[in-house]
Amino acid sequence: MSLLIAGGVVVDPAQELEEPRDLLLEDGRVAALELPGVIPREGRRVIDATGLFVCPGLIDMHVHLREPGEEYKETVATGTRAAARGGFTAVACMPNTRPVNDQAAVTRFILEQAARHGSARVWPVGALTQGSRGEALCEYGELKAAGCVALSDDGRPVMNSLVMRRALEYARTFDLPVISHAEDLELRADGVMHEGEVAHRLGLKGIPGAAEEVMVYRDIRLAWLAGARLHLAHLSTAGSVAIVREAKMAGLAVTCETAPHYFTLTDEAVAGQGPDALVRPVFDTHAKVNPPLRSRFDREAVIAGLADGTIDVIASDHAPHSVLEKEVEFAEAAFGLIGLETSVGLSLRLVHEGVLPLSRLIALMSTNPARILGLPGGTLKVGAPGDVTVIDLFRPWTVDVNLFASKSRNCPFHGWVLKGKAVLTLRGGEVVWQEE
Ligand code: DOR
Ligand code: ZN
């Protein structure tokens, strides 16, 4: 099979390339990348990418696929279909399934499901501690041998600092990055949204930014002590961004991510966004996420961190929940929102607003996650996997949860009009999603 994607502008930060190029895919890999017109069209399937941007396949390094155990929320099949539809050729899936992915048998099951039903590549993240209870370490060597590319107790922090130190030391011996869910559970207490004026107005219990920041600092300090590679998940506050900026200036091996909701929304979204919200708060449980949507000040700092390179990755933290967990009182609702099918559209707002050049966005969504997790892909160099995302930067579309491939509907962006989306996704040279 020989496929030529012709006439587009190739954006590949790994080669510092942003120019018109024709891309040839053969045997699942990039076979050639040449100036327009150089590669002959005869005998090949040709896709016309005139006016479009041809990018290395996007990688979402923070996704919850819910399989095994919570298949009513999502499965490997539906989650990876949502990924392909959203422009992602690969996802890293967090271990807070049932059972937790804390042993090789679970990792292998996930990979078997992915091989059978996956529309995107699946890279499992193994648990740091058994059952993610924060007590006893898992067998990292076995998890790595089974296919885990990183370790995390995401959804929960490792509260005990000594356990976290040992986890970082042990992960280092296998050269596995540790992904930290930075949250001090004592400080969070029974908070349900960002601690601030909006929580006060709504009469809801708050989660201070400090609940994240003290753990961001602790984990950076412990990673330094252990000589380990640390990646901080879903940063949401100005303080976290400042701490990471300083750590990077000191030369520490730390990377971090944020999610589209943290640079798009603020805690105001909890009170709803429709006309109704002006009259009465609607307590939108789709805006209940952990860490919580923060203040305007925090949002601006996250955007500044994306612009100046402090933040390495945009990941969705796609966290599907059913109506059973969401159509309940705000305080009782589950934390989490889905993001695979809106991540690109929301992130492109930063490009249209002039905050980020497109090449930097592709670095945040492909080059850097590939580098941090040590994955193949993240580039369109000759010989790389034929994983490609073709983006129409200007196509307007309306977010409609009823069209989502995800099983869940917990998305606070329903009805939003966005500009730009992935119109074609190829995994290993095969089309896994194409916009009509
Ligand atoms: O909002 C969240 N949902 N934050 C997390 O850390 C976990 C996730 C989930 O698994 O639902
Ligand atoms: Zn998390």
PDB file of all heavy atoms in Angstrom, residues 317-332:
ATOM      1  N   ASP A 317      -6.570  14.628  29.719  1.00  0.00           N
ATOM      2  CA  ASP A 317      -7.116  14.027  30.950  1.00  0.00           C
ATOM      3  C   ASP A 317      -8.562  13.566  30.707  1.00  0.00           C
ATOM      4  O   ASP A 317      -9.431  13.712  31.567  1.00  0.00           O
ATOM      5  CB  ASP A 317      -7.029  14.975  32.146  1.00  0.00           C
ATOM      6  CG  ASP A 317      -7.208  14.232  33.475  1.00  0.00           C
ATOM      7  OD1 ASP A 317      -7.383  12.995  33.461  1.00  0.00           O
ATOM      8  OD2 ASP A 317      -7.206  14.893  34.531  1.00  0.00           O
ATOM      9  N   HIS A 318      -8.788  13.026  29.506  1.00  0.00           N
ATOM     10  CA  HIS A 318     -10.086  12.449  29.124  1.00  0.00           C
ATOM     11  C   HIS A 318     -10.567  11.501  30.236  1.00  0.00           C
ATOM     12  O   HIS A 318      -9.992  10.441  30.443  1.00  0.00           O
ATOM     13  CB  HIS A 318      -9.888  11.691  27.809  1.00  0.00           C
ATOM     14  CG  HIS A 318     -11.102  11.015  27.254  1.00  0.00           C
ATOM     15  ND1 HIS A 318     -12.063  11.689  26.527  1.00  0.00           N
ATOM     16  CD2 HIS A 318     -11.513   9.716  27.303  1.00  0.00           C
ATOM     17  CE1 HIS A 318     -12.999  10.841  26.146  1.00  0.00           C
ATOM     18  NE2 HIS A 318     -12.704   9.638  26.611  1.00  0.00           N
ATOM     19  N   ALA A 319     -11.628  11.920  30.937  1.00  0.00           N
ATOM     20  CA  ALA A 319     -12.091  11.165  32.115  1.00  0.00           C
ATOM     21  C   ALA A 319     -13.592  10.902  31.994  1.00  0.00           C
ATOM     22  O   ALA A 319     -14.429  11.621  32.551  1.00  0.00           O
ATOM     23  CB  ALA A 319     -11.780  11.936  33.396  1.00  0.00           C
ATOM     24  N   PRO A 320     -13.954   9.851  31.251  1.00  0.00           N
ATOM     25  CA  PRO A 320     -15.372   9.586  31.016  1.00  0.00           C
ATOM     26  C   PRO A 320     -16.108   9.125  32.273  1.00  0.00           C
ATOM     27  O   PRO A 320     -15.585   8.328  33.056  1.00  0.00           O
ATOM     28  CB  PRO A 320     -15.360   8.462  29.961  1.00  0.00           C
ATOM     29  CG  PRO A 320     -13.954   8.028  29.773  1.00  0.00           C
ATOM     30  CD  PRO A 320     -13.058   8.890  30.572  1.00  0.00           C
ATOM     31  N   HIS A 321     -17.304   9.671  32.443  1.00  0.00           N
ATOM     32  CA  HIS A 321     -18.224   9.222  33.495  1.00  0.00           C
ATOM     33  C   HIS A 321     -19.618   9.170  32.891  1.00  0.00           C
ATOM     34  O   HIS A 321     -19.935   9.944  31.990  1.00  0.00           O
ATOM     35  CB  HIS A 321     -18.219  10.192  34.685  1.00  0.00           C
ATOM     36  CG  HIS A 321     -16.940  10.176  35.463  1.00  0.00           C
ATOM     37  ND1 HIS A 321     -16.518   9.087  36.191  1.00  0.00           N
ATOM     38  CD2 HIS A 321     -15.982  11.120  35.618  1.00  0.00           C
ATOM     39  CE1 HIS A 321     -15.362   9.365  36.776  1.00  0.00           C
ATOM     40  NE2 HIS A 321     -15.002  10.586  36.436  1.00  0.00           N
ATOM     41  N   SER A 322     -20.458   8.271  33.438  1.00  0.00           N
ATOM     42  CA  SER A 322     -21.817   8.151  32.915  1.00  0.00           C
ATOM     43  C   SER A 322     -22.731   9.135  33.642  1.00  0.00           C
ATOM     44  O   SER A 322     -22.332   9.791  34.602  1.00  0.00           O
ATOM     45  CB  SER A 322     -22.324   6.722  33.104  1.00  0.00           C
ATOM     46  OG  SER A 322     -22.743   6.552  34.438  1.00  0.00           O
ATOM     47  N   VAL A 323     -23.989   9.187  33.203  1.00  0.00           N
ATOM     48  CA  VAL A 323     -24.961  10.062  33.868  1.00  0.00           C
ATOM     49  C   VAL A 323     -25.141   9.643  35.333  1.00  0.00           C
ATOM     50  O   VAL A 323     -25.495  10.466  36.174  1.00  0.00           O
ATOM     51  CB  VAL A 323     -26.328  10.047  33.151  1.00  0.00           C
ATOM     52  CG1 VAL A 323     -26.223  10.748  31.806  1.00  0.00           C
ATOM     53  CG2 VAL A 323     -26.858   8.639  32.985  1.00  0.00           C
ATOM     54  N   LEU A 324     -24.891   8.367  35.621  1.00  0.00           N
ATOM     55  CA  LEU A 324     -25.044   7.909  37.015  1.00  0.00           C
ATOM     56  C   LEU A 324     -24.132   8.673  37.961  1.00  0.00           C
ATOM     57  O   LEU A 324     -24.487   8.936  39.108  1.00  0.00           O
ATOM     58  CB  LEU A 324     -24.710   6.408  37.123  1.00  0.00           C
ATOM     59  CG  LEU A 324     -25.617   5.443  36.396  1.00  0.00           C
ATOM     60  CD1 LEU A 324     -25.057   4.034  36.476  1.00  0.00           C
ATOM     61  CD2 LEU A 324     -27.020   5.506  36.999  1.00  0.00           C
ATOM     62  N   GLU A 325     -22.940   9.016  37.466  1.00  0.00           N
ATOM     63  CA  GLU A 325     -21.982   9.737  38.316  1.00  0.00           C
ATOM     64  C   GLU A 325     -22.121  11.251  38.186  1.00  0.00           C
ATOM     65  O   GLU A 325     -21.588  11.981  39.016  1.00  0.00           O
ATOM     66  CB  GLU A 325     -20.541   9.362  37.954  1.00  0.00           C
ATOM     67  CG  GLU A 325     -20.124   7.945  38.275  1.00  0.00           C
ATOM     68  CD  GLU A 325     -20.471   6.953  37.180  1.00  0.00           C
ATOM     69  OE1 GLU A 325     -20.709   7.396  36.046  1.00  0.00           O
ATOM     70  OE2 GLU A 325     -20.553   5.745  37.476  1.00  0.00           O
ATOM     71  N   LYS A 326     -22.789  11.713  37.116  1.00  0.00           N
ATOM     72  CA  LYS A 326     -22.804  13.160  36.858  1.00  0.00           C
ATOM     73  C   LYS A 326     -24.159  13.824  37.096  1.00  0.00           C
ATOM     74  O   LYS A 326     -24.215  14.996  37.447  1.00  0.00           O
ATOM     75  CB  LYS A 326     -22.337  13.420  35.416  1.00  0.00           C
ATOM     76  CG  LYS A 326     -20.813  13.301  35.223  1.00  0.00           C
ATOM     77  CD  LYS A 326     -20.048  14.360  36.030  1.00  0.00           C
ATOM     78  CE  LYS A 326     -18.594  14.469  35.584  1.00  0.00           C
ATOM     79  NZ  LYS A 326     -17.847  15.486  36.361  1.00  0.00           N
ATOM     80  N   GLU A 327     -25.257  13.096  36.886  1.00  0.00           N
ATOM     81  CA  GLU A 327     -26.564  13.733  37.091  1.00  0.00           C
ATOM     82  C   GLU A 327     -27.000  13.546  38.534  1.00  0.00           C
ATOM     83  O   GLU A 327     -28.007  12.902  38.842  1.00  0.00           O
ATOM     84  CB  GLU A 327     -27.584  13.189  36.083  1.00  0.00           C
ATOM     85  CG  GLU A 327     -27.274  13.726  34.685  1.00  0.00           C
ATOM     86  CD  GLU A 327     -28.326  13.398  33.646  1.00  0.00           C
ATOM     87  OE1 GLU A 327     -29.392  12.857  34.000  1.00  0.00           O
ATOM     88  OE2 GLU A 327     -28.062  13.700  32.466  1.00  0.00           O
ATOM     89  N   VAL A 328     -26.175  14.103  39.412  1.00  0.00           N
ATOM     90  CA  VAL A 328     -26.407  14.030  40.852  1.00  0.00           C
ATOM     91  C   VAL A 328     -26.025  15.389  41.436  1.00  0.00           C
ATOM     92  O   VAL A 328     -25.543  16.266  40.717  1.00  0.00           O
ATOM     93  CB  VAL A 328     -25.549  12.916  41.503  1.00  0.00           C
ATOM     94  CG1 VAL A 328     -25.980  11.540  41.012  1.00  0.00           C
ATOM     95  CG2 VAL A 328     -24.068  13.121  41.205  1.00  0.00           C
ATOM     96  N   GLU A 329     -26.241  15.554  42.730  1.00  0.00           N
ATOM     97  CA  GLU A 329     -25.867  16.808  43.373  1.00  0.00           C
ATOM     98  C   GLU A 329     -24.390  17.107  43.160  1.00  0.00           C
ATOM     99  O   GLU A 329     -23.572  16.183  43.163  1.00  0.00           O
ATOM    100  CB  GLU A 329     -26.113  16.669  44.875  1.00  0.00           C
ATOM    101  CG  GLU A 329     -26.991  17.773  45.423  1.00  0.00           C
ATOM    102  CD  GLU A 329     -27.119  17.631  46.924  1.00  0.00           C
ATOM    103  OE1 GLU A 329     -27.988  16.857  47.355  1.00  0.00           O
ATOM    104  OE2 GLU A 329     -26.327  18.272  47.630  1.00  0.00           O
ATOM    105  N   PHE A 330     -24.063  18.391  43.017  1.00  0.00           N
ATOM    106  CA  PHE A 330     -22.682  18.757  42.657  1.00  0.00           C
ATOM    107  C   PHE A 330     -21.655  18.123  43.591  1.00  0.00           C
ATOM    108  O   PHE A 330     -20.655  17.562  43.157  1.00  0.00           O
ATOM    109  CB  PHE A 330     -22.515  20.286  42.652  1.00  0.00           C
ATOM    110  CG  PHE A 330     -21.223  20.711  42.007  1.00  0.00           C
ATOM    111  CD1 PHE A 330     -21.158  20.935  40.634  1.00  0.00           C
ATOM    112  CD2 PHE A 330     -20.064  20.851  42.758  1.00  0.00           C
ATOM    113  CE1 PHE A 330     -19.955  21.296  40.024  1.00  0.00           C
ATOM    114  CE2 PHE A 330     -18.861  21.213  42.153  1.00  0.00           C
ATOM    115  CZ  PHE A 330     -18.810  21.433  40.785  1.00  0.00           C
ATOM    116  N   ALA A 331     -21.913  18.195  44.881  1.00  0.00           N
ATOM    117  CA  ALA A 331     -20.931  17.682  45.843  1.00  0.00           C
ATOM    118  C   ALA A 331     -20.725  16.181  45.712  1.00  0.00           C
ATOM    119  O   ALA A 331     -19.664  15.664  46.054  1.00  0.00           O
ATOM    120  CB  ALA A 331     -21.361  18.036  47.270  1.00  0.00           C
ATOM    121  N   GLU A 332     -21.752  15.487  45.208  1.00  0.00           N
ATOM    122  CA  GLU A 332     -21.673  14.020  45.087  1.00  0.00           C
ATOM    123  C   GLU A 332     -21.113  13.563  43.744  1.00  0.00           C
ATOM    124  O   GLU A 332     -20.743  12.401  43.591  1.00  0.00           O
ATOM    125  CB  GLU A 332     -23.075  13.409  45.247  1.00  0.00           C
ATOM    126  CG  GLU A 332     -23.803  13.790  46.527  1.00  0.00           C
ATOM    127  CD  GLU A 332     -22.975  13.448  47.757  1.00  0.00           C
ATOM    128  OE1 GLU A 332     -22.353  12.372  47.772  1.00  0.00           O
ATOM    129  OE2 GLU A 332     -22.933  14.286  48.678  1.00  0.00           O
TER     130      GLU A 332
END
